[in-house]
Amino acid sequence: PGIWFYDPGLMSTAMAESSITYLDGDQGILRYRGYPIEQLAEESTYLEVSYLLLHGELPNKEQYDKWVNDITHHTFIHENVRKRFLEGFHYDAHPMGILVSAVAALSTFYSDAKNIFDPASRDKQIVRLIAKMPTLAAAAYRFSVGMPFVYPDNSLSFPANFLSMMWKIAEPRYEADPRLVRAMDVLFILHADHEQNCSTTAMRVVGSAHADPYSAAAAATAALYGPRHGGANEAVIKMLTEIGSLDNVSDFVKSVKEGHGRLQGFGHRVYKNYDPRAKIVKRTAYEVFEVTGKNPLLDIALKLEEVALSDDYFISRRLYPNVDFYSGIIYQAMGFPVDMFPVLFAIPRISGWLAHWNELLEEDAKIVRPRQCYVGSDVRDYVPMEKRE
Ligand code: CMC
């Protein structure tokens, strides 16, 4: 008390004690509640992972069935959100801008959300938010391209339902290839949490003021809208498109080394080794391409990785591919436009945000209120306007 330190970007400050996600950036290890991300991506489903993140344990069969049933029965959004709120946006509105606003708007539809210390009410808002994110995300996309809204089909799994709301064009139903459904689910698992990243910190900051979870999640979604956080995979697609051919890769790497820009999708504040998620995304890319055909950018990405990882500049700075290096290539192959990339990130990250929100309320965390080092004027007297220069 009475002593504080200047720590811009909170790079050296632990803001919370957390038992949700373990990350070792030197070793390239990521675990949710102790379970290695590799095992979860191989064996689990996104909804099982969301249960795990929120409850701390894997569900038994009965708990899992109830959880899936609860989520499935909250996928619809109020008609006023769709008809009046979403349709009020400008025709070329960015889907992420729509999502930020729509998540915030939900707080006005659920007045019980203010009862944040009532566990039953908290559970209800958690289920609503996880369930409605894909519906809002797909609605934002359909609106942004002038297509009619598709209602949730609750006979489908969580990822299949999202793909149906995105792509359905005719009755009676849209059936995605099961390999694409699984790839979507794996990408949701990989993006579900990543400890104290920028958007999770935003969730914790707003949550610490005891705002309702929709308002806090809107702040977190807004943080994810920033290109430094949720937008790197879009930058990767732009970079690979600009490189254009395998022949240009070496020259591009040379120009990065000379200080002209950065290799997008490389390097990470915490990982100083291969991001474990990037390995899984790379493998998933091949599974997706079996269905969609190969994204021609893949060969450029592979060559770029090979050239960079055999270059002392990148090795000595411990710059390896991060999760964004291959994810955009998959999304693009599946037909998603680049402005949907951060939206695809937000859909599963809501589970992580809510797990952190729950954690901070359970431990009755203090309101986040950092100090500052004041560097402005010393005291001075007010000068009337006519005497100012
Ligand atoms: N390409 C070339 N050089 C790089 C790169 C890169 N991608 N990243 C870092 N460096 C160099 C940097 O120039 C510096 O070199 P020097 O010591 O000679 O000045 C050194 O490596 C350390 O860089 P830094 O900026 O101090 O590292 P940081 O931890 O502050 O930055 C980063 C981390 C992710 C912002 C950065 O690596 C970067 O800009 N990467 C490209 C963008 C990107 O892929 N972002 C996605 C991050 S993962 C998604 C998420 O978590 O939201």
Side-chain angles (χ1 to χ4, degrees):
I3 300 175
W4 63 87
F5 302 94
Y6 178 44
D7 182 14
L10 303 184
M11 287 173 66
S12 312
T13 297
M15 202 172 88
E17 284 189 312
S18 180
S19 53
I20 301 169
T21 289
Y22 174 79
L23 205 170
D24 181 333
D26 287 326
Q27 306 285 330
I29 293 173
L30 175 64
R31 296 180 198 137
Y32 297 158
R33 301 284 190 185
Y35 295 98
I37 192 70
E38 294 80 3
Q39 288 181 23
L40 294 171
E42 190 67 37
E43 311 276 350
S44 188
T45 63
Y46 164 65
L47 283 190
E48 188 179 47
V49 163
S50 69
Y51 184 99
L52 171 69
L53 289 168
L54 281 148
H55 296 89
E57 298 296 336
L58 287 169
N60 62 28
K61 172 92 175 67
E62 196 186 322
Q63 290 164 329
Y64 181 66
D65 289 347
K66 181 177 182 322
W67 177 246
V68 172
N69 189 60
D70 284 352
I71 301 282
T72 306
H73 287 93
H74 284 85
T75 52
F76 277 67
I77 50 176
H78 194 288
E79 279 294 281
N80 280 358
V81 176
R82 181 178 80 78
K83 282 196 181 143
R84 295 173 182 262
F85 188 75
L86 293 180
E87 290 184 2
F89 282 95
H90 199 249
Y91 71 93
D92 61 354
H94 193 293
M96 194 62 172
I98 296 180
L99 188 67
V100 171
S101 325
V103 171
L106 289 185
S107 94
T108 65
F109 285 80
Y110 303 111
S111 53
D112 56 335
K114 285 195 281 293
N115 304 330
I116 57 168
F117 289 108
D118 170 5
S121 164
R122 218 153 74 201
D123 286 350
K124 198 165 202 178
Q125 315 317 324
I126 286 171
V127 165
R128 282 175 173 150
L129 264 163
I130 292 173
K132 292 180 202 311
M133 285 299 270
T135 315
L136 291 174
Y141 165 73
R142 304 280 293 203
F143 178 79
S144 72
V145 291
M147 299 268 289
F149 175 76
V150 174
Y151 284 94
D153 176 346
N154 287 340
S155 67
L156 297 172
S157 70
F158 186 90
N161 195 6
F162 171 58
L163 293 176
S164 159
M165 290 187 284
M166 282 292 300
W167 309 126
K168 182 174 165 183
I169 44 173
E171 295 302 332
R173 68 198 321 230
Y174 173 87
E175 286 198 42
D177 186 293
R179 288 166 292 180
L180 297 185
V181 173
R182 179 61 194 160
M184 200 73 253
D185 216 24
V186 169
L187 289 160
F188 285 165
I189 291 170
L190 297 181
H191 287 88
D193 193 45
H194 210 229
E195 50 119 298
Q196 311 300 323
N197 56 85
C198 180
S199 56
T200 301
T201 303
M203 183 86 189
R204 280 185 172 268
V205 169
V206 180
S208 79
H210 292 171
D212 71 82
Y214 302 96
S215 304
T221 313
L224 197 58
Y225 197 178
R228 278 170 149 189
H229 187 14
N233 47 11
E234 177 177 352
V236 172
I237 295 295
K238 279 194 188 131
M239 174 187 72
L240 296 174
T241 308
E242 264 165 45
I243 294 173
S245 112
L246 293 179
D247 296 339
N248 299 332
V249 169
S250 297
D251 283 348
F252 181 80
V253 171
K254 192 162 163 267
S255 76
V256 167
K257 283 161 55 181
E258 287 166 359
H260 305 295
R262 288 194 163 193
L263 205 51
Q264 297 301 326
F266 258 67
H268 196 276
R269 173 61 58 78
V270 185
Y271 290 118
K272 301 301 169 195
N273 202 323
Y274 213 105
D275 181 336
R277 300 169 300 171
K279 281 189 199 145
I280 302 166
V281 176
K282 189 173 170 183
R283 200 177 62 225
T284 307
Y286 288 101
E287 289 158 16
V288 167
F289 297 157
E290 277 174 24
V291 184
T292 62
K294 192 166 80 177
N295 184 336
L297 296 181
L298 176 69
D299 288 335
I300 301 176
L302 289 170
K303 176 86 190 276
L304 195 56
E305 179 185 338
E306 184 193 314
V307 172
L309 293 186
S310 54
D311 192 305
D312 190 52
Y313 175 96
F314 296 92
I315 300 292
S316 62
R317 288 169 178 76
R318 306 179 73 190
L319 301 169
Y320 293 87
N322 60 49
V323 69
D324 291 318
F325 193 65
Y326 288 103
S327 63
I329 297 178
I330 303 189
Y331 294 148
Q332 198 180 49
M334 289 173 86
F336 292 103
V338 286
D339 57 9
M340 277 299 281
F341 292 2
V343 175
L344 295 168
F345 194 156
I347 293 172
R349 185 53 64 88
I350 190 74
S351 294
W353 292 335
L354 289 166
H356 285 268
W357 175 70
N358 242 350
E359 195 175 61
L360 86 94
L361 291 179
E362 271 158 22
E363 68 195 24
D364 197 16
K366 286 201 173 296
I367 186 167
V368 178
R369 202 304 185 190
R371 308 305 295 248
Q372 66 165 10
C373 299
Y374 177 72
V375 293
S377 299
D378 203 348
V379 64
R380 47 187 173 164
D381 289 325
Y382 179 83
V383 183
M385 185 131 0
E386 60 279 11
K387 292 198 176 156
R388 290 179 214 161
E389 293 186 358

